[in-house]
Amino acid sequence: MRLDFKNLNPLQRYKIMSHTVVPRPIAWIVTEYKDTINIAPFSYFIPLSSEPPTLIVSIGHKKNGEPKDTLKNILKTKKCTICFVSQEMLKDMHYTSKDLPYGTSEAEYFNIDTKRVFEEFPPMIKSSPSAFFCTLNQVVDLKGSKTVPLILEVEKYLVDDKFVRDKEKLHIELDLIARVGKEYSICKDKITPPVIP
Ligand SMILES: Cc1cc2nc3c(=O)[nH]c(=O)nc-3n(C[C@H](O)[C@H](O)[C@H](O)COP(=O)(O)O)c2cc1C
């Protein structure tokens, strides 16, 4: 099959991209505005660079045309906390993709516990094995797009000690879930790379 992307509609493009770029990591993003904690998952998400330590996430708009709450909050506060998702957290993570009105907290609506780790950043999801605490580096102007890519800079990191195999070598081993199309996969099986001759 050969296709010209110009002749495809956005849903068709999404289907191809989300089944081809696999697995996609999931950023479970916590933002905060006026004491309301907002939580939502995003998988148009990938690391960008280690220097500066940056990630990119693309966030769209709601059906009513307003920016999604996460986008609104990051643009307002310039901060977010990105939590990573293990298998047991799948249900909670998926639930938080529900479109709730701005100002309604997914943490309260779905009874998800959060904990404040750094005073200057939104809290993290308590059961998450690790999190990045980020500031907004820049908004990418993707001409004509309804999805807004944000470059986020990692300022601080937390990982549950039980996933740290070697503290000095910074050997961290997390069993996370990722997205394949609209489904999920478990990133558990690892393959040692061959020695290049
Ligand atoms: C696993 C998963 C990944 C998602 N990835 C994205 C994404 O990359 N960009 C996006 O705009 N929406 C994405 N969504 C949909 C948002 O989570 C959903 O629109 C949510 O209601 C946004 O919440 P907010 O308005 O509180 O920010 C994803 C949903 C799921 C379940």
Side-chain angles (χ1 to χ4, degrees), residues 38 40-44 58 60 68-70 97-98 106 179 184:
N38 194 89
F42 297 91
S43 57
Y44 264 109
S58 278
K68 292 188 182 180
D69 302 346
T70 305
S97 65
K98 189 178 169 78
E106 289 79 7
R179 218 172 198 208
Y184 295 102

Side-chain angles (χ1 to χ4, degrees), residues 24 26 38-45 57-62 67-71 93-94 96-100 106 147 179 184:
R24 282 174 296 148
I26 299 169
N38 194 89
I39 311 175
F42 297 91
S43 57
Y44 264 109
F45 166 65
V57 61
S58 278
I59 308 180
H61 288 72
K62 297 188 180 199
K68 292 188 182 180
D69 302 346
T70 305
L71 177 59
M93 178 277 293
H94 192 76
T96 60
S97 65
K98 189 178 169 78
D99 181 7
L100 296 175
E106 289 79 7
T147 308
R179 218 172 198 208
Y184 295 102

Side-chain angles (χ1 to χ4, degrees), residues 12-53:
Q12 291 171 318
R13 291 174 188 161
Y14 170 78
K15 280 187 175 172
I16 290 171
M17 288 166 80
S18 66
H19 282 97
T20 307
V21 184
V22 292
R24 282 174 296 148
I26 299 169
W28 201 13
I29 302 187
V30 185
T31 54
E32 207 175 19
Y33 187 66
K34 291 193 176 165
D35 295 335
T36 301
I37 293 171
N38 194 89
I39 311 175
F42 297 91
S43 57
Y44 264 109
F45 166 65
I46 207 88
L48 201 58
S49 163
S50 306
E51 187 53 45

Side-chain angles (χ1 to χ4, degrees), residues 81-84 124-125 128-133 154 156-159:
T81 297
I82 300 181
C83 298
F84 290 84
M124 69 178 281
I125 289 146
S128 181
S130 79
F132 287 136
F133 301 81
V154 181
K156 298 190 191 289
Y157 176 63
L158 176 142
V159 62

